[in-house]
Amino acid sequence: MEWLIASVIAVMTGCGVYLTLRARTFPVVLGLTMLAYAVNVFLFAMGRLQVGFPAVIDPAAAGYTDPLPQALVLTAIVIAFGMTAFLIVLALKARSELGNDHVDGLHRSDDERKAKRHNNKTDSERSAS
Amino acid sequence: MSLLSFNLPLAALLPFFAAPFAAWATRYNRLASAWVAGITTLLTLALLFPSMAFVFAGETIIQQWSWLPSIGFNIAFRLDGLALLFALLILLIGLLVIIYARYYLSAKDSMGRFYAYMLMFMGSMLGIVLSENLLQLVVFWELTSITSFLLISYWQHRQDARQGARMALAVTGGGGLALLGGVLLLGHIVGSYQLTDVLASGDLIKGHDLYLPTLVLILLGVFTKSAQFPFHFWLPHAMAAPTPVSAYLHSATMVKAGIFLLARFFPALSGTPEWVWLVSSAGLITLLLGAYVALFKHDLKGLLAYSTLSHLGLITLLFGFSSELALVAAIFHIINHATFKGSLFMVAGIIDHESGTRDMRKLNGLFKMMPHTAVLAMIAAAAMAGVPLLNGFLSKEMFFEQAISASGTPLAIWTIPALVTLAAIFSVAYSLRFIHDVFFNGEPIDLPKTPHEPPRFMKIPVDILVVLCLLVGIAPMYLISPILTVAVASSLQTAAPEFSLAIWHGFNIPLLMSFIALVLGVAVYTMRHRLFAWNEKGLHSLDGKAVFDWLLWKTIRLSKKVTDAFDQTTLQPAVTWVIGGALVLGIVTFFQFNSPLIGNRVMMEADVITLLMSLILIVASLLTVILHHKRLVALIAIGVVGLIVALGFVKFSAPDLALTQLSVEVVTIVLLLLALFFLPQHTPQERSYIRFTRDGVISVSAAVSVFFLAMAVLSRDYSPISGFFIENAKPGGGGTNVVNVILVDFRGFDTLGEIAVLALAGLGIFAMLEGLKLFAPTKDVDGLVWSHDPHPPIMQTLTRLLFPLMLMVAVFIFLRGHNLPGGGFIAGLIASVALISQYLANGIDWTNERLRIDMHRVIWIGLLIATLTGVVSMFIGYPFLTTSFTYLTWPVVGKFEVASAIAFDLGVFLVVVGATVMILVELGKLSHASHHIKKEEVN
């Protein structure tokens, strides 16, 4: 079971990282959401995997699961939602201000030349100011 | 608790409380803010009044509350003679400046902003002089730097004001950092940050190895604040401030803060050769430099600024002499300087106000036009020059006497008296220039305005100060002796030495020095034209500003270079660096340990359902990546991932998490769908294969690393700290759902922080969406027109029917949360889903008509309830956020538990509902508005 959960966390991390590295805002938001899932499950798993143990006090219970990671992850889920919401609205704002949804606010889709040109542009801006 | 047990902190904080009120009051009446400021000052004085009698009886009043005892940070205030003297200076001169500024500021200036800044500054100054804890003192010290920055840059449209303010902030703020370092060292040496302990350990401090660094750091703070050489250059540039600010900050209060520290730390630090050399040389140089440059300034305020430097240097020099009588003279001169310089600045402001210029080459012969002001100026300037029968004469005589008797110090026997007399000569000359050039000396030369006497009340503050100069000068024994004695005694921490404040001490050397200064000063003034010409040749270009600007420019360039080396101003490489860096660090650390990768904990057998679910999750995750160009599909795929994560929580004994994840999932997907409407439906293909490969390598290595990390942890046994929570949940927290008890009780402070973050995210989103206009596509991805019926009746009917049920579920989940899975977070999310589904099914207009609740209000009420629950426990005498619970027996219901934690959970509930609904509805309104725009366009 453990190796299964570890691979689930691993796949979600990998996919999250890949999407976070993309050049458009929407995939980046998806990537961060995915990373948040991975992190939450990872944190949760730090309490070790327990099947059938309650986190509620019960005299009849044979044992308890670790409630602390659960409490931490519970708030983490809500905060992750807040962050996702903030990011996606930031993406909307960027789209309306910059006219496109590139993470750097660039129109050019050619990534190869983009970085170079962008550097040139900022240099000329600096020398102008 | 009587007022006398907490009047000191109240006095320091009252101006801060009143400041926003002053800013607000100006909306209704322009002058209301001046009234607020004046009344606040009077109230603060009244607060200190009852304690005064004790201070005059020689007592030191200390009021303290322990806050962070582990690092010695107490909230501690102290009122002794020295503190009282400074507090009175701050408040009384503050009051006069407040009256004066009301007439000085023009209709274009914002009164509210001015008085709010003034009050904050006043509070910071009071905080410095009333602090018993040194760390607290440093906090107030920095606050004066910040508030004075705001005051100097009050005329924000002027470049010189902005630059002067920035320079003042950089210099005094930097000095504040040094002071913090010095205070930390002092605390390290003494073992306490309480002033009482520090002052009692003078010998320990002076004998300690760290004495010199401590002294240098503290003196850096003092010299920057009190504009001593070589940090003097910011003061003249701060003259870009409105004149009331200059009168207050740069004559009476802020620049005296440094000197206050010299007096405060006198028993702890003074008397060593290091102190004598450092303090007196800085003082002497500043005294001479200021006096010399002042004569050549054509700007009225420039002259006063350099003369202020010179007088600050004089006071510093007196402290440098390190004798008890020198201390008397220094403190006496602090009072005198505040009175005459404050009034002179106000006069300069009046002249500027009435004539439109401060250039002494244009200002001539104003005596005919404003005789009253001229007489005031003459008396004050005479006091500054040290003319007999005025207060300046008395302290200057004492200064001369000390300069002569300082021959015992390592400085040579005759140099100091000679140099001091030289400074006095220039002092007489520039005082004379202030009077003769402005009020006599022919006719004015093309003034922008024809000057006349200012309004009566603008002169009254000057009148009062000038009368004080005279009274103190003529009858020092009665007026000044009592306060001076207690101030000196508390500064020395012993009885004050015998001193005599008399006008006539017989013919002696100090009198001779005064005489020489007066005669030669007049002589220097008469040959000023030749001196001006000589000065023009080169010396005038000496300005610390050039050095400062050069340093600033260098620093900015260096920081730019460093930034540019790391940041290419594009996001993707930056993210690559962050993730790649984390990977490298993690992997390197991993290989530092020799223990086996997989531990020996007995692992569980995987069952078929879990296997299946995991496979679906993995496939869905991969699909999200593969199909991320088709955004809608990717969104559906990631929804699947989230749902299976929720199921996983069910499987592994975490019902609370499952409930949370499930409701968050719904809300997140709705949110992303709403946003997707305004974004391109497809992601264009990126063309760089290098980047694909690089990102692929990074992602795969991240996945592999995380896999091994998770395996390494999961395959090992551990000893959790949760036993404590499980044992104490019921007896300590009164609930059986340990997860919820941790959230609302054990770790309640964390939760409070988290809901605050959520509230801020909601408000941030609200702010970003305000006024946002986005292009809304008329057709969907496949080119089809959107449905004409956005609110299908079946869905409407169903959701309306379900709504009460959903709310009931939320209430149920909320109430049982303390004992069974549930709680504020989950109930809040469920209630949000209930509300959002109404918005989705019935439209925003329909729902808003029926649900007239402002979500902003819900958020702040929630935060308020949660915070108050914590504060209430403090009032009962328990730490913040301690819960209490009891059992009630209700009819029908039976035994029922009431815990204060439920109030806290209610706060959590409200914040979650408020923030979630606000975020989604604001986004929804956006599409709503864009539809409306389109309809209008079509029509």
Side-chain angles (χ1 to χ4, degrees):
Chain A
M1 191 84 90
E2 275 79 2
W3 64 267
L4 200 57
I5 299 305
S7 22
V8 162
I9 298 172
V11 170
M12 288 197 290
T13 311
C15 294
V17 167
Y18 185 80
L19 286 174
T20 309
L21 289 166
R22 300 279 51 80
R24 301 285 160 164
T25 49
F26 194 75
V28 172
V29 175
L30 286 188
L32 286 170
T33 311
M34 186 87 92
L35 259 183
Y37 291 152
V39 170
N40 288 342
V41 176
F42 181 79
L43 282 181
F44 170 68
M46 290 302 100
R48 305 302 186 273
L49 303 175
Q50 317 261 6
V51 178
F53 288 117
V56 173
I57 304 292
D58 180 4
Y64 294 102
T65 178
D66 192 341
L68 190 59
Q70 294 197 13
L72 298 182
V73 171
L74 201 154
T75 50
I77 294 173
V78 180
I79 293 288
F81 162 70
M83 193 195 67
T84 307
F86 194 86
L87 275 175
I88 194 73
V89 173
L90 201 62
L92 286 184
K93 185 83 177 171
R95 169 121 207 254
S96 106
E97 301 276 314
L98 305 168
N100 64 73
D101 71 332
H102 194 281
V103 285
D104 296 326
L106 297 172
H107 289 278
R108 286 175 289 275
S109 51
D110 191 335
D111 294 311
E112 286 287 85
R113 272 178 293 163
K114 178 204 70 193
K116 204 185 264 177
R117 275 201 223 158
H118 182 70
N119 282 348
N120 291 345
K121 196 181 118 209
T122 45
D123 282 348
S124 58
E125 269 168 13
R126 262 176 221 148
S127 55
S129 62
Chain B
M1 237 184 332
S2 82
L3 182 71
L4 279 181
S5 59
F6 61 93
N7 61 341
L8 299 184
L10 201 59
L13 296 179
L14 188 67
F16 286 103
F17 293 134
F21 192 61
W24 170 78
T26 193
R27 279 193 193 180
Y28 301 100
N29 182 343
R30 217 175 95 76
L31 300 180
S33 52
W35 280 102
V36 171
I39 290 169
T40 309
T41 314
L42 286 175
L43 274 178
T44 314
L45 266 174
L47 272 174
L48 292 181
F49 188 75
S51 303
M52 280 202 222
F54 299 102
V55 174
F56 277 113
E59 279 182 49
T60 298
I61 300 168
I62 290 176
Q63 296 167 0
Q64 58 181 332
W65 296 265
S66 115
W67 183 33
L68 298 174
S70 50
I71 59 164
F73 200 160
N74 297 332
I75 304 293
F77 288 83
R78 168 197 188 97
L79 187 71
D80 56 9
L82 188 66
L84 179 66
L85 170 69
F86 271 87
L88 288 178
L89 274 180
I90 292 160
L91 288 168
L92 292 175
I93 295 191
L95 188 63
L96 298 180
V97 169
I98 285 167
I99 299 171
Y100 175 81
R102 175 239 170 284
Y103 294 93
Y104 178 86
L105 293 176
S106 76
K108 277 177 287 177
D109 301 323
S110 157
M111 283 248 180
R113 198 156 59 84
F114 181 84
Y115 283 110
Y117 292 167
M118 273 302 261
L119 283 174
M120 287 194 286
F121 174 78
M122 185 185 276
S124 321
M125 276 308 295
L126 282 174
I128 292 183
V129 300
L130 293 177
S131 277
E132 156 77 2
N133 187 286
L134 291 177
L135 293 172
Q136 177 193 322
L137 186 149
V138 175
V139 171
F140 282 113
W141 181 277
E142 292 290 21
L143 277 175
T144 61
S145 295
I146 294 166
T147 47
S148 74
F149 168 81
L150 293 172
L151 280 169
I152 297 170
S153 62
Y154 174 72
W155 284 321
Q156 292 157 342
H157 55 276
R158 282 175 39 180
Q159 198 195 5
D160 59 338
R162 293 196 304 268
Q163 283 183 348
R166 199 175 60 183
M167 187 192 288
L169 181 66
V171 176
T172 57
L177 272 182
L179 177 69
L180 176 62
V183 162
L184 289 177
L185 282 180
L186 212 54
H188 171 73
I189 296 172
V190 179
S192 158
Y193 291 107
Q194 298 297 100
L195 204 51
T196 315
D197 301 331
V198 171
L199 294 183
S201 339
D203 293 331
L204 172 72
I205 298 167
K206 285 176 222 168
H208 200 277
D209 289 341
L210 288 172
Y211 169 70
L212 190 61
T214 312
L215 179 72
V216 168
L217 285 172
I218 289 179
L219 287 183
L220 272 177
V222 167
F223 290 170
T224 48
K225 201 69 147 189
S226 288
Q228 293 299 298
F229 182 83
F231 307 106
H232 60 285
F233 56 89
W234 69 264
L235 185 61
H237 292 283
M239 290 298 140
T243 303
V245 173
S246 308
Y248 193 37
L249 271 64
H250 306 130
S251 75
T253 54
M254 190 179 84
V255 290
K256 300 279 171 63
I259 284 170
F260 167 78
L261 271 200
L262 289 181
R264 187 92 276 183
F265 285 134
F266 195 77
L269 297 173
S270 73
T272 59
E274 294 94 328
W275 167 281
V276 170
W277 274 103
L278 286 170
V279 178
S280 8
S281 50
L284 187 60
I285 296 173
T286 318
L287 166 70
L288 285 166
L289 185 86
Y292 173 78
V293 179
L295 179 62
F296 299 101
K297 286 283 152 187
H298 300 303
D299 174 19
L300 267 182
K301 275 177 82 179
L303 184 149
L304 291 178
Y306 277 97
S307 119
T308 303
L309 282 181
S310 159
H311 282 272
L312 292 170
L314 185 157
I315 299 168
T316 309
L317 178 57
L318 277 169
F319 279 110
F321 291 155
S322 260
S323 72
E324 293 187 344
L325 280 169
L327 185 100
V328 177
I331 293 180
F332 188 29
H333 198 68
I334 290 172
I335 308 170
N336 295 338
H337 180 250
T339 50
F340 66 68
K341 194 53 68 65
S343 52
L344 283 174
F345 265 115
M346 289 184 189
V347 167
I350 290 175
I351 293 170
D352 187 13
H353 197 255
E354 299 302 325
S355 69
T357 181
R358 300 194 312 240
D359 191 332
M360 277 185 279
R361 286 165 297 192
K362 291 182 183 171
L363 292 165
N364 289 311
L366 292 192
F367 186 78
K368 286 173 293 214
M369 297 156 193
M370 33 173 66
H372 184 150
T373 314
V375 171
L376 294 178
M378 278 183 235
I379 299 172
M384 173 161 80
V387 172
L389 289 184
L390 292 162
N391 59 357
F393 171 73
L394 296 174
S395 46
K396 218 162 222 184
E397 287 282 283
M398 290 166 83
F399 168 58
F400 288 151
E401 203 181 313
Q402 289 308 310
I404 296 161
S405 62
S407 51
T409 57
L411 300 161
I413 189 156
W414 59 271
T415 33
I416 289 191
L419 289 173
V420 156
T421 317
L422 182 67
I425 292 169
F426 275 100
S427 166
V428 170
Y430 68 65
S431 305
L432 198 57
R433 180 167 186 215
F434 189 93
I435 298 308
H436 183 255
D437 238 3
V438 174
F439 294 105
F440 304 99
N441 200 22
E443 291 300 312
I445 304 161
D446 49 80
L447 294 179
K449 286 196 247 174
T450 311
H452 52 78
E453 285 286 348
R456 193 158 67 94
F457 274 93
M458 199 166 174
K459 279 180 295 189
I460 281 187
V462 193
D463 286 337
I464 294 172
L465 287 174
V466 167
V467 167
L468 274 178
C469 287
L470 270 169
L471 287 180
V472 172
I474 294 166
M477 290 316 287
Y478 306 102
L479 260 170
I480 216 71
S481 217
I483 180 87
L484 191 57
T485 313
V486 286
V488 168
S490 66
S491 174
L492 286 173
Q493 292 289 303
T494 55
E498 284 291 317
F499 60 87
S500 98
L501 294 175
I503 310 169
W504 184 248
H505 284 117
F507 290 102
N508 53 14
I509 303 178
L511 191 69
L512 180 69
M513 285 161 77
S514 284
F515 183 72
I516 295 173
L518 280 172
V519 172
L520 287 184
V522 175
V524 166
Y525 179 68
T526 49
M527 46 187 251
R528 64 190 182 281
H529 295 296
R530 245 179 295 166
L531 277 171
F532 286 174
W534 178 67
N535 184 56
E536 288 291 320
K537 277 181 196 156
L539 277 167
H540 70 286
S541 61
L542 272 177
D543 186 2
K545 186 177 187 293
V547 182
F548 175 82
D549 285 344
W550 180 80
L551 265 176
L552 192 69
W553 181 70
K554 277 276 174 198
T555 320
I556 290 173
R557 246 188 33 162
L558 179 70
S559 65
K560 259 207 169 116
K561 254 188 195 166
V562 175
T563 314
D564 287 349
F566 286 97
D567 178 19
Q568 297 160 336
T569 65
T570 69
L571 185 67
Q572 279 170 291
V575 177
T576 314
W577 274 108
V578 171
I579 296 176
L583 265 177
V584 170
L585 283 178
I587 292 171
V588 167
T589 323
F590 225 82
F591 279 107
Q592 302 220 319
F593 298 98
N594 293 326
S595 47
L597 201 52
I598 307 295
N600 44 14
R601 178 184 161 101
V602 183
M603 304 222 198
M604 274 188 275
E605 286 291 317
D607 54 294
V608 182
I609 297 176
T610 317
L611 188 68
L612 201 64
M613 283 296 156
S614 303
L615 281 180
I616 298 177
L617 189 148
I618 290 171
V619 170
S621 302
L622 293 173
L623 275 182
T624 314
V625 172
I626 296 165
L627 298 176
H628 82 266
H629 296 290
K630 296 180 179 172
R631 294 185 169 179
L632 189 61
V633 184
L635 190 55
I636 294 169
I638 207 172
V640 173
V641 177
L643 288 179
I644 297 181
V645 168
L647 288 180
F649 288 139
V650 177
K651 165 85 183 166
F652 296 108
S653 329
D656 288 282
L657 289 190
L659 283 169
T660 316
Q661 176 70 35
L662 198 63
S663 22
V664 163
E665 197 50 42
V666 173
V667 180
T668 310
I669 298 297
V670 171
L671 173 84
L672 291 179
L673 273 174
L674 279 173
L676 191 55
F677 180 64
F678 295 102
L679 291 169
Q681 304 301 308
H682 291 285
T683 307
Q685 205 84 31
E686 288 171 71
R687 284 182 211 150
S688 159
Y689 286 97
I690 304 171
R691 175 162 292 158
F692 276 134
T693 329
R694 191 188 64 194
D695 293 353
V697 169
I698 290 180
S699 316
V700 170
S701 26
V704 173
S705 318
V706 168
F707 175 80
F708 282 116
L709 181 61
M711 273 315 281
V713 178
L714 289 178
S715 61
R716 283 177 166 81
D717 277 319
Y718 74 129
S719 51
I721 56 169
S722 318
F724 171 81
F725 298 118
I726 293 169
E727 273 164 29
N728 288 293
K730 183 75 178 157
T736 52
N737 181 5
V738 187
V739 176
N740 184 268
V741 175
I742 292 176
L743 283 177
V744 297
D745 191 341
F746 294 127
R747 309 293 305 164
F749 215 162
D750 288 356
T751 310
L752 185 62
E754 270 144 6
I755 57 173
V757 170
L758 194 65
L760 281 179
L763 292 179
I765 286 167
F766 181 80
M768 277 199 284
L769 288 178
E770 187 139 50
L772 186 66
K773 288 220 167 52
L774 278 165
F775 165 74
T778 44
K779 291 170 183 163
D780 72 355
V781 198
D782 304 320
L784 299 172
V785 183
W786 299 113
S787 163
H788 288 292
D789 183 18
H791 308 303
I794 296 178
M795 189 170 160
Q796 281 185 344
T797 319
L798 261 178
T799 49
R800 285 182 207 176
L801 278 176
L802 278 175
F803 184 61
L805 205 63
M806 290 166 94
L807 286 187
M808 277 300 291
V809 172
V811 171
F812 172 68
I813 290 276
F814 175 77
L815 285 179
R816 72 175 211 157
H818 213 44
N819 292 316
L820 288 166
F825 273 111
I826 301 164
L829 286 164
I830 293 175
S832 309
V833 172
L835 286 168
I836 290 160
S837 56
Q838 293 306 308
Y839 279 100
L840 282 177
N842 299 306
I844 288 179
D845 291 335
W846 186 92
T847 319
N848 269 351
E849 250 171 53
R850 283 152 187 83
L851 188 79
R852 295 170 186 278
I853 302 173
D854 181 10
M855 286 302 157
H856 285 97
R857 196 170 294 167
V858 175
I859 293 179
W860 71 252
I861 289 178
L863 273 180
L864 197 69
I865 291 177
T867 316
L868 280 183
T869 326
V871 173
V872 166
S873 63
M874 278 174 90
F875 270 104
I876 311 170
Y878 289 101
F880 187 63
L881 275 174
T882 310
T883 45
S884 77
F885 58 92
T886 178
Y887 294 92
L888 296 178
T889 311
W890 281 7
V892 190
V893 184
K895 198 173 160 194
F896 189 82
E897 184 213 333
V898 184
S900 69
I902 208 150
F904 183 77
D905 224 10
L906 181 67
V908 173
F909 173 82
L910 289 175
V911 173
V912 171
V913 173
T916 316
V917 173
M918 188 167 81
I919 291 168
L920 283 149
V921 172
E922 285 302 317
L923 252 183
K925 274 184 192 164
L926 210 59
S927 70
H928 189 64
S930 59
H931 276 304
H932 277 276
I933 293 168
K934 261 199 308 280
K935 269 181 200 159
E936 280 161 21
E937 278 169 2
V938 170
N939 295 341

